[in-house]
Amino acid sequence: MANSIANSVPTKEGRYGKFGGQFVPETLMTALLELETAYDEAMNDQAFTEELAYYLQQYVGRETPLYYAENLTKELGGAKVYLKREDLNHTGAHKINNAIGQALLAKRMGKKKIVAETGAGQHGVATATACALLNLECVVFMGAEDIKRQQLNVFRMELLGTKVESVETGSKTLKDAVNAALRYWVTNVEDTHYILGSALGPHPFPKIVRDFQRVIGVETREQILNKEGRLPDAVVACIGGGSNAIGMFHPFVDDETVALYGVEAAGSGIETGKHAAAIAGGQLGVLHGAYMYLLQDENGFVQEAHSISAGLDYPGKGPEHCYLHDIGRVQFDSITDSEALEGLQLLSKTEGILPALESSHAIAYTAKLAKTMSTDDIIVVCLSGRGDKDVHTVRKALGGEV
Amino acid sequence: MTKLQQAIEQTKIAGNKAFVPYIMAGDGGLETLKPTILKLQEMGVTAIEVGIPFTDPVADGPTIEQAGERALAEGVTLRKVLAVLASFRGEIQVPLVVMTYFNPVLAFGLEAFAKACVAGGVKGLIVPDVPLEESEILRDTLNSRGIDIVQLVSLTSPPERIARIAAASQGFVYAVTVNGITGARASFADDLHDHFARLREASQIPVLAGFGISTPEQVVSMGALSDGVIVGSAIVTALHEGNLEKIEALVSASKGVFQKSTL
């Protein structure tokens, strides 16, 4: 495709338009350059891609269904809603797609140890799982606040043989876990690979994560063509750093008829300042190696993100999303904590599917969007994860006993 | 030759090694910045690295991170630090090198930042999260105003890369002595000697060693490999504890290293 937007980024310097780049300490530069070379070689090696495909099918359980949510569609009375069931993956979310891919890559590179960060714990669990499977030593950094919110996932990681390190600095959430993981990587770079879990960080991470998550959109595209004989009118995904969204969007970016909607977490409301919507309420800046939209004050100090969903609780947006926003290809909107809770209950009651709080943002947005569209229109939603991990938080938020 | 490089070359001519302390600006309150700089200047340091606090200091260990958190709690910002420097510029003879992460510079605006650096008499800039690949924009904006961009070389940088960084760096080459973050270390890798030999051969400008150097003995041993040392966490701790004798001991360890190492 001569005019492909999708294939035009990143540049060899790791830029998505003006976004992205490699803003990291020099100690990591060689590791990033090596990673890029190793990744390119791996993706051109049929043995590697076959091994990855094997694990995705036999271990993760792909492909995941594209489910027509008939009850939800009727309830909303607008466009037909399809759910891409990433919640049915092994470990309960899309995170495993990338974790398996990068763990196989690490093994190929001869790295014996893995470090990762986690917010909600889903990426941590996925990485711990991949490391148990592939016999890699694993340490996961997690903010002390998130550890409190996600006790069960901490225990799951420990059961899988991973060491969970509590991060007590800064806001004690995901961004601080990334800081700690980067520091650990700088110190142990020679035998350790960093499995970054979102479409963030220095080049080549946003590209690697995107490519390993693309399977979501690739499957969806084929499935909807089989079921409906045409492409959807709209595709919706929630965005924290943006891994499930970029995986879902990327195969549709060059399909001009498909509208793409990215849903940020508005927390208590954009106007309150307590949110995680960097595109709606942030400025351009550099954090964790990339130039992107970032929640920060006038002095360039990074601000804490706020969301009921720990997985969206990050102050930046991945560079490719920033680029797709700037060129007008993806439309960004946001959903508050309380709207997300309604979305979660709506899907639970209509379809018997308990979505993760992250994915509930996409459901809540779809509920609004579907009503504005005709019954002939089709929306596909990325249901990025299941909500079992959030039951405690949801119960507390809805006023139940904890 | 730039002012910064000149100051280092002069210590070499005098038979000494360069000694560059790192301070966290505003640790203990912004009002401590002036007396701290003047005190270090009086002790005979070669240059001073003025650290700016940041919310997400990924290259720093706990000592500097905590000092940064204390400074942030005092309301210290890049703008305020440069304004304080400008207020006593006439009393500053020692070259000042600002060490800041990139985002506060972006938020300030590159042009405005460059002007404030000039007003504060700043002679050099170190941005640990801007490697060679991303550094052009800084050189474009700051070089015309007489401010050096100091690049870091790490133990993981391969020879070809070392050569490019050494050629691009200004004032001095900042040689990171460990894989890791800032902070005291008990020991260093055995092959540092070869690393520094390669580095000094590749570099037309002085090479200073930094990260993990915290004792007078380490000042001597690292000084022997290089043109001088940068001491961060140990200085930050000593200033926090008000232990000026410790700083005196570190500075005096840098004097006469050259003669000792060539005997």
Side-chain angles (χ1 to χ4, degrees):
Chain A
M1 271 182 281
N3 296 316
S4 168
I5 295 170
N7 298 328
S8 70
V9 287
T11 62
K12 67 177 173 27
E13 294 82 19
R15 291 290 183 149
Y16 302 79
K18 63 186 172 191
F19 301 101
Q22 294 180 304
F23 295 92
V24 293
E26 171 62 21
T27 305
L28 290 182
M29 278 307 299
T30 301
L32 291 177
L33 297 169
E34 278 171 8
L35 176 61
E36 191 178 358
T37 306
Y39 172 71
D40 288 343
E41 282 170 10
M43 293 307 261
N44 285 314
D45 177 355
Q46 202 182 339
F48 179 82
T49 53
E50 278 173 4
E51 190 181 19
L52 175 60
Y54 168 83
Y55 282 112
L56 287 179
Q57 186 193 56
Q58 298 295 321
Y59 185 75
V60 175
R62 302 203 74 93
E63 68 179 28
T64 58
L66 182 68
Y67 167 71
Y68 171 43
E70 195 174 354
N71 297 338
L72 178 65
T73 300
K74 281 184 185 148
E75 173 79 21
L76 298 174
K80 280 178 95 169
V81 178
Y82 281 88
L83 305 175
K84 179 59 174 169
R85 298 291 308 273
E86 290 301 297
D87 60 318
L88 294 179
N89 284 325
H90 179 44
T91 72
H94 70 289
K95 292 292 186 187
I96 190 81
N97 301 330
N98 169 58
I100 288 275
Q102 285 202 48
L104 287 170
L105 182 61
K107 231 179 146 104
R108 189 185 153 97
M109 291 172 73
K111 307 269 180 179
K112 303 269 188 290
K113 295 180 188 166
I114 297 295
V115 61
E117 84 296 339
T118 197
Q122 291 307 101
H123 173 57
V125 167
T127 303
T129 299
C131 288
L133 173 71
L134 299 171
N135 192 26
L136 294 160
E137 202 179 312
C138 181
V139 54
V140 170
F141 287 89
M142 188 167 181
E145 281 300 317
D146 291 334
I147 285 182
K148 264 193 260 168
R149 291 194 274 192
Q150 301 286 346
Q151 280 292 330
L152 223 50
N153 270 343
V154 174
F155 187 55
R156 280 171 82 187
M157 286 185 269
E158 287 167 354
L159 281 176
L160 292 160
T162 279
K163 194 169 170 208
V164 180
E165 295 276 6
S166 175
V167 180
E168 309 282 347
T169 54
S171 59
K172 303 176 188 175
T173 59
L174 179 56
K175 88 172 170 72
D176 310 283
V178 177
N179 291 343
L182 279 170
R183 289 184 182 126
Y184 183 92
W185 195 33
V186 170
T187 309
N188 299 280
V189 63
E190 280 164 6
D191 63 354
T192 303
H193 173 64
Y194 179 16
I195 300 190
L196 220 156
S198 198
L200 291 168
H203 177 69
F205 280 110
K207 175 181 154 69
I208 291 176
V209 175
R210 174 192 80 190
D211 292 353
F212 285 140
Q213 293 294 0
R214 270 185 99 247
V215 65
I216 303 172
V218 168
E219 286 178 6
T220 300
R221 205 169 184 284
E222 196 180 312
Q223 287 168 318
I224 198 74
L225 287 173
N226 283 338
K227 285 173 198 284
E228 294 281 351
R230 69 179 186 89
L231 292 172
D233 300 286
V235 174
V236 180
C238 65
I239 301 198
S243 66
N244 90 85
I246 202 67
M248 178 56 118
F249 291 166
H250 195 258
F252 292 103
V253 162
D254 289 325
D255 298 315
E256 286 172 18
T257 60
V258 181
L260 304 174
Y261 296 93
V263 185
E264 294 192 286
S268 314
I270 306 286
E271 70 288 352
T272 66
K274 295 208 171 298
H275 61 84
I279 286 186
Q283 289 82 38
L284 293 171
V286 164
L287 181 68
H288 300 147
Y291 188 58
M292 60 184 170
Y293 286 101
L294 182 64
L295 299 179
Q296 57 182 313
D297 68 12
E298 69 280 8
N299 292 304
F301 297 145
V302 180
Q303 288 176 320
E304 250 176 83
H306 294 271
S307 170
I308 190 169
S309 135
L312 302 182
D313 211 352
Y314 183 80
K317 285 286 162 284
E320 191 158 6
H321 287 298
C322 296
Y323 171 68
L324 293 171
H325 165 71
D326 257 28
I327 63 169
R329 182 62 189 94
V330 174
Q331 191 173 325
F332 284 83
D333 213 326
S334 60
I335 285 292
T336 63
D337 288 351
S338 53
E339 289 173 321
L341 283 166
E342 282 170 28
L344 179 139
Q345 294 170 84
L346 174 67
L347 191 66
S348 300
K349 284 173 185 159
T350 55
E351 296 289 351
I353 297 171
L354 174 62
L357 274 170
E358 291 79 9
S359 324
S360 299
H361 287 72
I363 298 295
Y365 188 76
T366 300
K368 290 187 191 177
L369 183 67
K371 290 175 189 165
T372 69
M373 295 167 74
S374 106
T375 51
D376 298 331
D377 290 338
I378 300 166
I379 304 177
V380 172
V381 189
C382 188
L383 191 67
S384 55
R386 68 176 187 226
D388 308 48
K389 69 181 174 59
D390 295 317
V391 169
H392 187 81
T393 307
V394 172
R395 191 178 186 192
K396 199 170 155 188
L398 295 178
E401 290 289 311
V402 190
Chain B
M1 192 183 295
T2 66
K3 288 258 164 54
L4 181 57
Q5 187 183 342
Q6 218 165 23
I8 299 166
E9 299 289 359
Q10 276 163 9
T11 61
K12 285 167 76 176
I13 292 165
N16 297 324
K17 294 293 175 177
F19 186 89
V20 180
Y22 168 99
I23 59 170
M24 174 56 74
D27 180 16
L30 205 51
E31 67 281 3
T32 63
L33 184 57
K34 178 178 169 180
T36 301
I37 286 175
L38 294 179
K39 184 73 202 167
L40 291 168
Q41 176 170 287
E42 192 188 309
M43 287 181 184
V45 302
T46 314
I48 299 173
E49 204 183 316
V50 180
I52 308 296
F54 185 50
T55 42
D56 297 84
V58 290
D60 287 306
T63 304
I64 290 178
E65 183 179 29
Q66 283 158 20
E69 285 183 357
R70 292 194 296 268
L72 287 174
E74 297 273 356
V76 175
T77 66
L78 177 58
R79 280 185 185 83
K80 287 184 189 171
V81 170
L82 292 174
V84 169
L85 297 181
S87 73
F88 69 108
R89 188 185 165 179
E91 297 169 64
I92 306 171
Q93 282 102 44
V94 67
L96 300 183
V97 181
V98 165
M99 201 299 306
T100 175
Y101 288 87
F102 195 30
N103 202 51
V105 174
L106 286 172
F108 200 147
L110 273 171
E111 282 295 322
F113 168 70
K115 282 181 191 157
C117 282
V118 172
V122 172
K123 297 289 181 282
L125 178 67
I126 301 172
V127 187
D129 56 349
V130 175
L132 185 63
E133 280 76 357
E134 308 285 357
S135 62
E136 203 177 309
I137 186 169
L138 288 176
R139 275 193 299 276
D140 286 352
T141 320
L142 291 155
N143 281 176
S144 59
R145 295 181 164 94
I147 297 165
D148 292 342
I149 304 299
V150 178
Q151 295 290 152
L152 289 86
V153 163
S154 81
L155 297 180
T156 57
S157 314
E160 168 276 332
R161 195 174 164 80
I162 285 178
R164 280 192 294 132
I165 295 172
S169 192
Q170 300 162 331
F172 64 90
V173 177
Y174 192 138
V176 177
T177 52
V178 294
N179 281 341
I181 50 183
T182 61
R185 297 290 196 289
S187 63
F188 293 88
D190 301 331
D191 52 359
L192 277 185
H193 191 276
D194 295 344
H195 174 71
F196 273 93
R198 275 195 300 273
L199 189 45
R200 293 176 81 183
E201 196 178 302
S203 179
Q204 306 288 317
I205 59 175
V207 174
L208 302 195
F211 280 39
I213 302 171
S214 59
T215 65
E217 294 71 32
Q218 289 170 338
V219 170
V220 172
S221 60
M222 287 297 155
L225 299 177
S226 63
D227 298 308
V229 296
I230 300 155
V231 180
S233 296
I235 298 283
V236 167
T237 303
L239 286 170
H240 184 55
E241 293 168 350
N243 188 351
L244 292 181
E245 294 75 33
K246 194 178 167 199
I247 301 178
E248 297 272 11
L250 288 161
V251 177
S252 67
S254 69
K255 313 281 185 198
V257 171
F258 182 72
Q259 290 94 327
K260 276 181 223 157
S261 69
T262 50
L263 280 177

